[in-house]
Each structure stands twice: as structure tokens, then as C-alpha cells.
Amino acid sequence: MSETAAPATVGDSEFDRATTLTPRAPGAYDIDLPAGWTIFGALNGGYLLAVLGRALGDTLPHPHPFTISAHYLSASRPGPATVRTETVRTGRTLSTGQASLFQYDETGAEVERIRVLASYGDLASLPDDVRTSAKPPAFPPLTHCVGPDDAPGSADQQPIAERVMLKLDPATVGWALGQPSGKGESRAWFGLADGRDADPLSLLLAVDALPPTAFDLGLKGWVPTIELTAHIRALPAPGPVRVAITTRNLAGGFLEEDAEIWDSEDRLVAQSRQLARVTLP
Amino acid sequence: MSETAAPATVGDSEFDRATTLTPRAPGAYDIDLPAGWTIFGALNGGYLLAVLGRALGDTLPHPHPFTISAHYLSASRPGPATVRTETVRTGRTLSTGQASLFQYDETGAEVERIRVLASYGDLASLPDDVRTSAKPPAFPPLTHCVGPDDAPGSADQQPIAERVMLKLDPATVGWALGQPSGKGESRAWFGLADGRDADPLSLLLAVDALPPTAFDLGLKGWVPTIELTAHIRALPAPGPVRVAITTRNLAGGFLEEDAEIWDSEDRLVAQSRQLARVTLP
């Protein structure tokens, strides 16, 4: 956002407009996937998870994804898409649903891009009981972190970079200068560029918005997600969140990325893990 | 197994017989869920994951679950069940499928117990490239660990306890004596009681076979799994495996359990995470 504009609000931001679905029939929604959320021509996986998460929030009786598992089948491109949802089970405190996103091949046939299973609940209804041993990782202040303009990397000037506020911990961006740490870490302050505060849907975007940990391990190239599961654990407080991603096991051409997201009140609001494929040199 | 019997082999063990499915039609299998794999009357969640994993291995062109996500809908009881599978996508190195397990209510109507999404590949085909920073956790030798007979807990004398070889790290079983450590940890050597070696299917059993970390946090009662995702990362070497489970975030009545499984050659062969619900005092 410009320095003088008021921040966008939840429900009236570019992210909200980009995830708006048009109901066509029960359990079927249309959406025109916008080019603004792409990186190297493909829609960002976290953005797509948010689209599917929003469709399920509309379909199910509970509002928030407690746990959502996505299997990525083929790359999504800007343009028309259909989301189909199914209610699997409804309960008092949790309900479970399934959703798929389809696009179309040159003959007009549907091609499935992603399939998700998710269990939804109401985060606002949970008791405020927190007994966690998790502590936020050390993060430099936001003003000491670097954006795409400060540390040119492969993702600068990509459309999605204009829509998210990503300030990377300098300790995890050595790869942009040819000096990866080798630790398999990626950390950043995250927000939406128009100032919209975080909510469960934008956390689904945030878990897959940082540079891949593979870069910090010294690998290059595309790191396609095979599967990503996110747990939203609490409603985030206003303000930017901190996202910390680690990889412990790179083996056989696959790695896991474990993300955790901390809000401005030092609460662990989301955890995710994905299995991704790397290009071995 | 008795001290003198030869160990059971993969394909010819009680676990293999208990997960055998009878094809009824394309994508439909019958199974009579045996009482031997129950705990407090319900089939163990890891055993059920192995049943669904085996059905998908039969349906898909690839043999091994690289990543499998299960949403648990209702408790499974011993008796007849149907597994339905669907091929979602097939590719050269990975294929994706879906499976559900159904039982029957008093009117004979199908009730869905679990639904899974999974991506399968061939672990034997992966390059032997390992660049991991993960190290096995400290484990006492198997002979210094304790079984149900040594440390009577709520799960001793349950049918499943006769079929798995579980030797618990004494540091994580203080709860059985009223002295939980409060750390949220659970560790054990794991095998099958008849001596069958581990394979990807038995690893699906192993990720959910230990006492819940909630006990080590001082909580009591049933800890139902909402969702569990397991990544099988390598074919396990012969011999018992080590399973280490940790919980970092207990909040709002939910917790995550992160499991990792190490084989006898110190290789990280599986990682899993589940979201579970606890009973707050």
C-alpha cells in the first residue's frame, strides 16, 4: 500500500477479491484465477489452498480450517477454474469436507489441479487454555529484514511479490548472493501488501509464501509441493506475522518443509508441513 | 513370538493377515476388522491407516505411500468393513489416490470411518542421496526400556499390546506412576510381536502406536486423532525401529503429535504429524 492509504480490511482487500468464488450450484463454484498471484507463471500453492479453504468455509457449517491437507496434482494457471466441494461429515464441534480445483484442457475437459481434505471448527469457540512449550524462534526486527528490492533473488518482480509483504531474515537469504547457509531454513515477516490483517485464510497463503528452504541448502530450481497439511491453531492478532520454515531431512530427492507462524502476541497460530520434490544437481 | 519360534516374515505375519483385503469389485474391498488390533474397543488408528494404505497400494500403479493424509470421522469397531478406493491421478514417478473405510449402522447403511488422500511412489527407485541435518534422538538401549508388563499403564492387557513389541523409554512413562514429565514426549522401540520386520505399511501402524504425549503432559483420557499425515521417506532396514513423538503446542483443547521413526541404520524412515483433541481437566 502507499504510505498514505488506509490499510485494507479483512473482507475488502485484494486477497479477499482474489479468493472470491461465485456459487454456480450446490457444491460448485466458479473463479477466474488472477495472474497477480503467480510465480513463474503458476499460481502460488498457498494462494490456491486459501481458495479451496474459502470454498470449504462456505460449504461446511464451521468457519475455520483446523486441519487441511492438500495434494497438488498439476500446476494451476491464471484463468477460469471450478471448485467442487463435498460435505463428508458434520459434527457439533468439527465438520469434515473435501474440495477439488479443476481447470480445463484444450478440449475443454476438466483437469484436476488440487484435492484437499479438511476438518473445520470455530477457533473463536475454543477455550483460551494454552500450555505450550513452543517458543518463537529468534527473529530480527522487521526493519532489519530484507525485501525483494533489497536482496534481488529469483522471485523478485514476480507478480505475487507485489501483493505480499515479505521481509526475509538476512540469515536465511545468503543463497541470493551465492552463499546459502546449508541449514535448510527460511524465515520472514509476512503480511499482505495492502495492509489487510491476517486471518485463517491468509495464514494458508503464508505457509507457502517464503523462498524454499532448498535454496538455503544450496539447491536451485523449482521445488514442487507434493502435499501440504496446515493446522490453524488460533485466530491471529492484528499485525504482521512471523513465519519460520525448517527442513531436517533431504533424502532421495524429497524434503519436508515444516512451517510455523507466530502472531504479534507471540502465539503459535499455524503449523504446517509439506513434502516437496527437489532437483538434485 | 515365543523365544524359539522363527520370526514371521513380511507377507506371512499376523499384521499381514489382519490387513488383507478381499477385492469385491474394481475399487472396492471387503475386510473383517479383527478385534486383536483394538484398544479400549476401537481399532487402532495406525492399524486402520495401514489397511487403507494397503488398499491404495493395490489400486495405484506405485507401491509405497510417500505421503498419506487421513481424516478420522468416527471410531471403527471390529467386524465387517468396506474400503473404497479411487485413482485421482497417475504419473511417471508419483500417483495419487483416495480411499475411505466404511462400516454399517444398525439399519445396514454405510457409515464412513476414515477418509484418506495419498501420493504413492517407489521408495526403491529413489537415489541414495541423503543430506539430512536430522539426528536420531537419544534412546536408551532396548533392554533398558519397559514394556506393558514392566510398567502397568492404561493400555496394558489391551489386545493390540499382544501384537506389537513396544519398549518405552523410561523417561517418558512417568505418567504411569503418576509422575508425568510435563515435556510432552513419548519414545519407544517398536516392532511386531511375531518378529516381522518393518516395511512402509507397518510404519503407518508405528506412527500411532505409542502412548499419547498428552499423558506425559499430565492429561488423562481419550485423545482422539482428528487428522494424521505420514511421510514414508525410505525403506526401513531390518530390526526394531525407534519412534520418537513430541508435542510442542497444546492450546484450546487440541495438540499436535510429531512422530519420527528411525531404523536400525540410523536413517529417518518416516515422519508424521497428527492433530488430536484432548480432554481438559
Side-chain angles (χ1 to χ4, degrees), chain A residues 67 73 86 89 93 98 115 119 129 131-133 219 227 231 233 248-250 252 254 260 277, chain B residues 67 71 73 86 89 93 98 115 119 129 131-133 227 231 233 248-250 252 254 260 277:
Chain A
T67 167
L73 308 171
E86 174 196 350
R89 173 187 171 272
T93 56
Q98 177 171 323
R115 189 178 292 202
S119 291
D129 180 272
R131 280 198 277 172
T132 180
S133 63
L219 297 169
E227 174 267 329
H231 299 176
R233 302 296 301 273
R248 297 175 67 231
N249 193 42
L250 165 63
F254 291 83
E260 51 184 50
R277 182 155 36 178
Chain B
T67 167
H71 286 250
L73 308 170
E86 174 196 351
R89 174 188 171 272
T93 56
Q98 177 171 323
R115 189 178 292 203
S119 292
D129 180 272
R131 281 198 275 172
T132 181
S133 63
E227 172 267 327
H231 298 176
R233 301 297 301 274
R248 298 175 66 230
N249 193 42
L250 165 62
F254 291 83
E260 51 184 49
R277 182 156 36 179

Side-chain angles (χ1 to χ4, degrees), chain B:
Chain B
M1 69 183 156
S2 75
E3 298 287 330
T4 52
T9 53
V10 173
D12 185 25
S13 74
E14 180 165 358
F15 175 71
D16 297 301
R17 289 185 288 278
T19 56
T20 297
L21 298 138
T22 305
R24 184 208 302 170
Y29 303 84
D30 292 317
I31 185 168
D32 194 25
L33 299 176
W37 298 84
T38 55
I39 177 161
F40 296 111
L43 271 302
N44 169 268
Y47 159 79
L48 293 167
L49 191 61
V51 169
L52 288 161
R54 187 159 173 181
L56 281 171
D58 187 73
T59 299
L60 296 172
H62 294 95
H64 304 129
F66 278 31
T67 167
I68 181 166
S69 303
H71 286 250
Y72 291 80
L73 308 170
S74 54
S76 301
R77 306 293 173 187
T82 298
V83 174
R84 296 188 194 282
T85 60
E86 174 196 351
T87 300
V88 177
R89 174 188 171 272
T90 59
R92 189 172 55 84
T93 56
L94 290 172
S95 53
T96 301
Q98 177 171 323
S100 291
L101 185 134
F102 298 89
Q103 290 193 296
Y104 311 94
D105 69 13
E106 55 282 359
T107 72
E110 284 190 345
V111 179
E112 191 167 354
R113 299 301 194 201
I114 312 176
R115 189 178 292 203
V116 307
L117 270 180
S119 292
Y120 273 54
D122 183 353
L123 289 167
S125 76
L126 297 184
D128 203 34
D129 180 272
V130 177
R131 281 198 275 172
T132 181
S133 63
K135 300 279 174 254
F139 255 81
L142 194 152
T143 50
H144 294 186
C145 290
V146 295
D149 295 341
D150 308 307
S154 58
D156 64 320
Q157 310 309 330
Q158 292 295 321
I160 193 172
E162 298 172 14
R163 286 162 183 84
V164 297
M165 186 285 293
L166 209 55
K167 290 288 186 181
L168 304 160
D169 182 341
T172 68
V173 291
W175 56 266
L177 305 170
Q179 299 176 315
S181 81
K183 293 179 181 173
E185 298 177 347
S186 190
R187 285 186 295 275
W189 291 85
F190 173 92
L192 289 161
D194 60 12
R196 175 198 189 274
D197 277 322
D199 73 347
L201 288 181
S202 75
L203 296 180
L204 297 182
L205 167 65
V207 296
D208 198 31
L210 272 59
T213 54
F215 293 177
D216 190 52
L217 288 168
L219 297 169
K220 296 181 198 303
W222 191 238
V223 188
T225 303
I226 308 302
E227 172 267 327
L228 187 155
T229 297
H231 298 176
I232 307 301
R233 301 297 301 274
L235 290 171
V241 295
R242 287 156 288 168
V243 185
I245 310 186
T246 54
T247 291
R248 298 175 66 230
N249 193 42
L250 165 62
F254 291 83
L255 53 72
E256 91 286 357
E257 281 199 5
D258 282 1
E260 51 184 49
I261 304 186
W262 296 84
D263 74 5
S264 58
E265 296 180 355
D266 274 358
R267 188 167 223 187
L268 182 54
V269 292
Q271 293 169 293
S272 76
R273 174 175 288 165
Q274 67 170 273
L275 183 71
R277 182 156 36 179
V278 297
T279 307
L280 294 175

Side-chain angles (χ1 to χ4, degrees), chain A residues 74-137:
Chain A
S74 53
S76 300
R77 306 294 173 184
T82 298
V83 174
R84 298 187 193 284
T85 61
E86 174 196 350
T87 299
V88 176
R89 173 187 171 272
T90 59
R92 190 173 54 84
T93 56
L94 290 172
S95 52
T96 301
Q98 177 171 323
S100 291
L101 184 133
F102 297 90
Q103 289 191 298
Y104 311 94
D105 68 14
E106 56 282 357
T107 72
E110 284 189 344
V111 179
E112 190 167 353
R113 300 301 195 200
I114 312 176
R115 189 178 292 202
V116 306
L117 271 179
S119 291
Y120 274 54
D122 184 353
L123 290 167
S125 76
L126 297 184
D128 203 34
D129 180 272
V130 177
R131 280 198 277 172
T132 180
S133 63
K135 300 280 176 253

Side-chain angles (χ1 to χ4, degrees), chain A residues 22-245:
Chain A
T22 305
R24 183 209 302 170
Y29 303 83
D30 293 316
I31 185 169
D32 194 26
L33 299 176
W37 299 83
T38 55
I39 178 162
F40 297 111
L43 270 303
N44 169 268
Y47 159 78
L48 293 167
L49 191 62
V51 169
L52 288 161
R54 187 160 172 181
L56 282 170
D58 186 73
T59 300
L60 297 171
H62 295 95
H64 304 130
F66 278 31
T67 167
I68 181 167
S69 303
H71 286 250
Y72 290 80
L73 308 171
S74 53
S76 300
R77 306 294 173 184
T82 298
V83 174
R84 298 187 193 284
T85 61
E86 174 196 350
T87 299
V88 176
R89 173 187 171 272
T90 59
R92 190 173 54 84
T93 56
L94 290 172
S95 52
T96 301
Q98 177 171 323
S100 291
L101 184 133
F102 297 90
Q103 289 191 298
Y104 311 94
D105 68 14
E106 56 282 357
T107 72
E110 284 189 344
V111 179
E112 190 167 353
R113 300 301 195 200
I114 312 176
R115 189 178 292 202
V116 306
L117 271 179
S119 291
Y120 274 54
D122 184 353
L123 290 167
S125 76
L126 297 184
D128 203 34
D129 180 272
V130 177
R131 280 198 277 172
T132 180
S133 63
K135 300 280 176 253
F139 255 81
L142 194 152
T143 51
H144 294 187
C145 291
V146 295
D149 295 341
D150 308 308
S154 58
D156 62 323
Q157 311 307 331
Q158 293 295 321
I160 193 173
E162 299 172 13
R163 286 163 184 84
V164 297
M165 186 285 292
L166 209 56
K167 290 288 186 182
L168 304 160
D169 182 340
T172 68
V173 291
W175 55 267
L177 306 170
Q179 297 176 316
S181 82
K183 293 179 181 173
E185 298 177 348
S186 191
R187 286 187 295 274
W189 291 85
F190 173 92
L192 290 161
D194 60 12
R196 175 197 188 274
D197 276 323
D199 72 347
L201 288 182
S202 74
L203 295 180
L204 297 183
L205 168 65
V207 295
D208 198 30
L210 272 60
T213 54
F215 293 177
D216 190 51
L217 288 168
L219 297 169
K220 297 181 197 303
W222 190 240
V223 188
T225 303
I226 308 301
E227 174 267 329
L228 187 155
T229 297
H231 299 176
I232 308 300
R233 302 296 301 273
L235 290 171
V241 295
R242 286 156 290 167
V243 185
I245 309 185

